[in-house]
Each structure stands twice: as C-alpha cells, then as structure tokens.
C-alpha cells in the first residue's frame, strides 16, 4: 500500500508550562529557586506529589508519587509546599490571555497547556521557529515562567514535539520530517493505545512507531479492531487531527491518574479525585460544557478496570458536584482497601441540543430548577481567585452532590 501524503496546510502549536505549580512557587519565592521543591501533600501526611521542580525530578520524583516515597528519595534541603490553586488558576488565565494575543484560535486543554492554530502567522511573523520563540518570550515576559513549545502539522505531532525537549524547549517538526521524528518513539505514545491494545501489539513484536509502520493495515485491523486499527495506522504515518476549536464539542472531558505504586489509602484516592474534578470542572466551564453524566474510572492491579456512571438531576460543571458524584460511586462499591493502580473521573451527557454545548447558562441568569447551583458553577473560578481554593472546597463539599 502506498504511503499517504501528509497534509501540508496546518501549523499547530502546542504549549505546556514547565513544572507548572512548582515553577510558580519558585517564581514567587526566589530563595527556593535552584532547589528541589515538591508541591503536594505534606511530608509525614498521606497524599501524593502534585508536581515537583526539575531539580527534584533528578531524584526520580514525579507527579502522583506518594509523598512518603518522594521524601525517602529527596535530600534534606528539599522544600515542600501545599498547592495554592487560586494562584495557579490566576497564572493560567494570564497565560491563556497571552496566547489569545498570538492567535485567535486557542484551545485550552488543561491548566497549563493549550493548542494554537498558527497557520496564518507565517506571512506576518516568520517561520515556525520564530513564532514558537515569540510565544515563549511573551509568556516569560507576562508571567515570568518558562514553557515548552512544539510545532507540527497536527495536534499529535505538536504535543509530542513540546515534550521532547522539556524544560524550556522549542521543537519544530516540519511535515517532511514527521516520519523520522516518530519512528524511534515507543508506540504507546499514540492515541487509542490502551491496556488492552498495547499487549496485542507487543505480541506482534512491535516496540516503536517505526515498527508499527511495517505492519499492513489489515494486520492492525485484525488485532486492534477496525476503528483503532486504522487510527493507529494513520497516526504512525503522522496523520492526525489538525482542528483547533476554542469551544470544541467533546464526547467527554476526563482526567485520570496512574499511580507509580498501587494506592489503597482512601485519603490519597480522595485527594486525587478532587484534583481530577477541579481540572475537569475548570475545562468544562472554560469550554462551556454542562454535563449530566459523571463517570468514575478505577483500575486495580494489574489491569482490572471498572467504570461506574451516575446521571445527575441537574447538568453541571461544578468541581464539588463532580467530585461528590464520583466519590459516592466509589463508596457504593465493596472496593475499600484494594490496591488501586489508576483513578479518574469524567463528565459527559451534555445537556443541550446545539451540538452538545449549552451557552445560555453561562451568559444569562441561572435557570430553574436550581439557580444557586449554576451560579456557583459559573463563578467558581472567580471566587477561588479572591478567597483561595481551600475556602471554596470546604464550602462546596458540604453541599450534596448533584
Ligand atoms: N498535576 C497534578 N497531579 C497530577 C498531574 C498534574 O496536580 N497527577 C498538576 C500539577 C502540574 C500541573 O497539573 O504542575 C500541570 O501538569 P503537567 O503534566 O503539565 O506537569 P508539570 O507542568 O508540573 O511538569 P512538565 O514540565 O512535565 O509539564
Ligand atoms: Mg506542564
């Protein structure tokens, strides 16, 4: 079968801040710069690392590692701080504001990362490397933080490119270099490869994306199913989604955490789900999605995965409602004490008919049947900025989910 041509037209930029929470802390506390720093649970308490500075990563510490394990690895001069979500959310808003001055087509995908379509900028600004350097410089100027930028013909290439030279990286992958760029990477970075599909490819002797490219489409369809087969076939050739849409209707919005070591402490699971709810809620509000269906995903050692869903009476994008629903799904099962490999939550079941996105609830006064609920959802981020995340969390967690 002939190799398909790569699309020539789009220029997609992915930007991801470096060690985001930790970098904000080092920015605001100059005496902490250049030192290992962990943002997350307090040492001696239960909980996990939210993130850590690159100085701490040298000791093998990373996000979602239990704090006790991190403490064992890190030197005594390490700084430990609790997260200040309000501050990070504010910096995130500032960064997204900067990106909107670069291109009108910005899609925020998490607290510290976004995609931009910069196709139209080459004639105005210059080649992709200049555009990327400008984005980094503007972020640094506005908020004093470094970001890593990847530029390529689509989302997949841009995202992988932003990751290869972290921190403070800038990687441009022109269409004609996409094949060489992907070939040595592990095939697991491709979208759609999960715990079921990865072993199937491994049994075929596949390790890298270059190996995947050696397989005929028919073989991939046979082993992965028709849909995933063709998706993996195309991605291995650098073909992927190149649409950037600030308010893209999505099937679902979700966040999950895979623990480096299995966790059975319910407090760690609770804290991790709270973080996921904050991320999901924040993205849903930003992209104007209200969903009715909250899904809890959990995986026990080694690959036993369960999902449980609950349909809420009132559609929501509210962190506390999301967390409450997911946590009650967890509590309703006889899972207590079992070692958990992965936990996460998602929202779907959008409430409107206009392509899944309901704008009105955010624009106008909150509707029946629960005005208080929707007003709270819409203003949650603003209140967080003023009073701090803890105040909000305590206040909302007393309300009943849904
Ligand atoms: N985060 C978290 N818990 C996780 C993963 C992330 O609380 N399991 C938070 C802390 C991070 C922020 O989200 O600072 C952004 O996540 P990233 O995956 O982008 O990680 P960092 O920005 O910290 O590091 P990197 O330089 O690898 O992007
Ligand atoms: Mg980051």
């Amino acid at each position: 079968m002939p190799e398909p041509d790569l699309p020539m037209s789009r220029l997609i930029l992915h930007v991801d801040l470096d060690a985001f929470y930790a970098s904000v802390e080092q920015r605001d506390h100059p005496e902490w710069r250049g030192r290992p720093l962990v943002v997350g649970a307090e040492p001696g308490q239960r909980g996990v690392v939210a993130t850590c500075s690159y100085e701490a990563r040298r000791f093998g510490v990373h996000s979602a590692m239990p704090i006790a394990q991190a403490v064992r690895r890190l030197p005594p001069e390490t700084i430990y701080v609790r997260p200040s979500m309000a501050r990070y959310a504010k910096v995130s808003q500032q960064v997204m504001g900067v990106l909107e001055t670069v291109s009108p087509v910005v899609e925020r995908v998490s607290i510290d990362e976004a995609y931009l379509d910069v196709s139209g900028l080459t004639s105005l600004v210059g080649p992709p490397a200049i555009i990327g350097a400008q984005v980094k410089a503007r972020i640094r100027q506005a908020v004093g933080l470094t970001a890593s930028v990847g530029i390529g013909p689509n989302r997949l290439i841009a995202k992988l490119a932003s990751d290869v030279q972290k921190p403070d990286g800038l990687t441009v992958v022109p269409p004609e270099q996409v094949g060489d760029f992907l070939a040595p990477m592990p095939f697991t970075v491709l979208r759609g490869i999960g715990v079921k599909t990865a072993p199937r490819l491994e049994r075929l002797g596949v390790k890298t994306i270059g190996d995947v490219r050696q397989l005929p489409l028919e073989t991939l369809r046979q082993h992965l199913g028709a849909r995933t087969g063709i998706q993996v076939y195309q991605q291995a050739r650098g073909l992927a989604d190149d649409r950037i849409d600030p308010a893209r209707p999505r099937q679902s919005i979700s966040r999950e955490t895979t623990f480096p070591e299995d966790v059975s402490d319910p407090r760690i699971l609770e804290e991790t789900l709270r973080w996921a709810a904050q991320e999901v809620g924040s993205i849903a509000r930003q992209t104007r999605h209200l969903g009715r269906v909250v899904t809890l995903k959990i995986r026990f050692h080694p690959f036993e995965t369960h999902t449980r869903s609950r349909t809420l009476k009132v559609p929501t994008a509210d962190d506390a409602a999301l967390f409450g629903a997911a946590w009650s799904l967890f509590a309703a099962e006889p899972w207590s004490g079992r070692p958990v490999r992965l936990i996460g939550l998602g929202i779907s079941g959008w409430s409107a008919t206009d392509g899944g996105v309901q704008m009105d609830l955010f624009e106008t006064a909150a509707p029946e049947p629960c005005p208080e609920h929707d007003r709270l959802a819409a203003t949650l981020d603003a209140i967080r900025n003023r009073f701090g995340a803890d105040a909000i969390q305590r206040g909302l967690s007393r309300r009943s989910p849904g």
Side-chain angles (χ1 to χ4, degrees):
M1 182 169 291
E3 298 285 304
D5 285 338
L6 290 167
M8 299 297 292
S9 49
R10 298 275 124 206
L11 199 58
I12 305 303
L13 184 151
H14 180 254
V15 54
D16 187 318
L17 296 167
D18 301 318
F20 179 45
Y21 298 180
S23 303
V24 173
E25 297 300 340
Q26 288 181 323
R27 178 195 73 175
D28 297 347
H29 303 269
E31 68 279 16
W32 294 348
R33 292 178 195 165
R35 297 173 64 174
L37 180 146
V38 172
V39 181
E42 249 169 89
Q45 306 239 308
R46 293 171 193 185
V48 295
V49 173
T51 193
C52 59
S53 67
Y54 275 81
E55 293 85 356
R57 293 185 197 197
R58 274 185 225 127
F59 297 90
V61 174
H62 49 79
S63 291
M65 178 181 273
I67 193 77
Q69 197 183 334
V71 170
R72 281 198 298 275
R73 293 180 180 215
L74 288 162
E77 70 268 21
T78 303
I79 309 284
Y80 296 89
V81 279
R82 298 282 298 147
S84 309
M85 290 308 299
R87 247 182 327 134
Y88 312 147
K90 199 169 151 197
V91 178
S92 175
Q93 294 292 355
Q94 289 170 324
V95 171
M96 299 303 157
V98 168
L99 297 178
E100 274 156 17
T101 68
V102 174
S103 163
V105 192
V106 178
E107 185 180 320
R108 186 191 149 171
V109 286
S110 83
I111 195 164
D112 81 330
E113 90 194 276
Y115 288 96
L116 281 69
D117 188 328
V118 293
S119 308
L121 291 186
T122 43
S123 55
L124 295 167
V125 180
I130 302 286
I131 299 172
Q134 263 190 27
V135 167
K136 283 160 59 83
R138 284 205 201 168
I139 292 172
R140 193 194 278 267
Q141 219 168 19
V143 298
L145 297 176
T146 65
S148 293
V149 165
I151 300 178
N154 56 52
R155 300 167 75 102
L156 173 73
I157 304 300
K159 166 104 179 166
L160 293 174
S162 73
D163 208 44
V164 290
Q165 296 193 70
K166 260 186 170 295
D168 207 10
L170 171 58
T171 307
V172 179
V173 185
E176 66 276 11
Q177 283 171 26
V178 162
D180 290 345
F181 174 72
L182 288 176
M185 293 193 173
F187 72 84
T188 46
V189 302
L190 298 177
R191 306 295 168 259
I193 305 269
V195 289
K196 280 197 191 129
T197 40
R200 291 184 201 159
L201 282 178
E202 271 157 17
R203 276 199 292 275
L204 293 171
V206 169
K207 287 199 171 65
T208 65
I209 297 178
D211 297 339
V212 175
R213 240 177 354 230
Q214 302 299 318
L215 299 176
L217 175 58
E218 208 32 55
T219 309
L220 287 170
R221 290 166 72 119
Q222 261 169 26
H223 288 84
L224 305 179
R227 221 177 112 204
T228 308
I230 187 137
Q231 197 191 358
V232 167
Y233 180 86
Q234 291 181 328
Q235 288 180 79
R237 284 154 182 79
L239 295 168
D241 189 5
D242 64 358
R243 285 161 304 171
I244 307 302
D245 184 348
R248 188 160 60 116
R250 307 163 187 226
Q251 288 184 333
S252 66
I253 300 172
S254 62
R255 278 288 178 276
E256 58 189 45
T257 297
T258 303
F259 297 109
E261 277 180 11
D262 298 340
V263 164
S264 34
D265 185 334
R267 281 193 295 189
I268 294 187
L269 298 175
E270 182 184 332
E271 187 184 322
T272 308
L273 266 190
R274 268 191 205 284
W275 169 76
Q278 283 175 355
E279 277 272 296
V280 167
S282 158
I283 299 297
R285 291 191 296 279
Q286 186 103 6
T287 55
R288 305 178 169 221
H289 286 74
L290 290 180
R292 279 178 187 278
V293 180
V294 178
T295 301
L296 169 77
K297 179 173 171 186
I298 192 162
R299 177 171 304 144
F300 299 106
H301 181 84
F303 287 128
E304 179 194 332
T305 308
H306 301 275
T307 56
R308 294 285 182 274
S309 294
R310 163 157 301 171
T311 302
L312 306 177
K313 286 201 188 75
V314 183
T316 192
D318 175 317
D319 304 355
L322 294 172
F323 168 76
W327 192 239
S328 66
L329 287 166
F330 176 81
E333 299 285 340
W335 288 333
S336 186
R338 290 191 62 190
V340 174
R341 166 65 55 90
L342 171 155
I343 195 163
L345 69 81
I347 184 173
S348 58
W350 311 122
S351 68
T353 48
D354 55 347
V357 185
Q358 183 157 9
M359 307 289 197
D360 287 358
L361 298 184
F362 294 92
E363 241 85 80
T364 59
E368 296 294 319
C370 185
E372 183 209 17
H373 186 98
D374 287 318
R375 253 199 306 277
L376 264 166
T379 54
L380 189 61
D381 292 329
I383 298 170
R384 255 207 202 108
N385 287 342
R386 286 174 60 196
F387 302 113
D390 289 347
I392 291 284
Q393 274 175 3
R394 275 199 303 276
L396 287 181
S397 61
R398 267 189 245 114
R399 294 162 55 229
S400 60

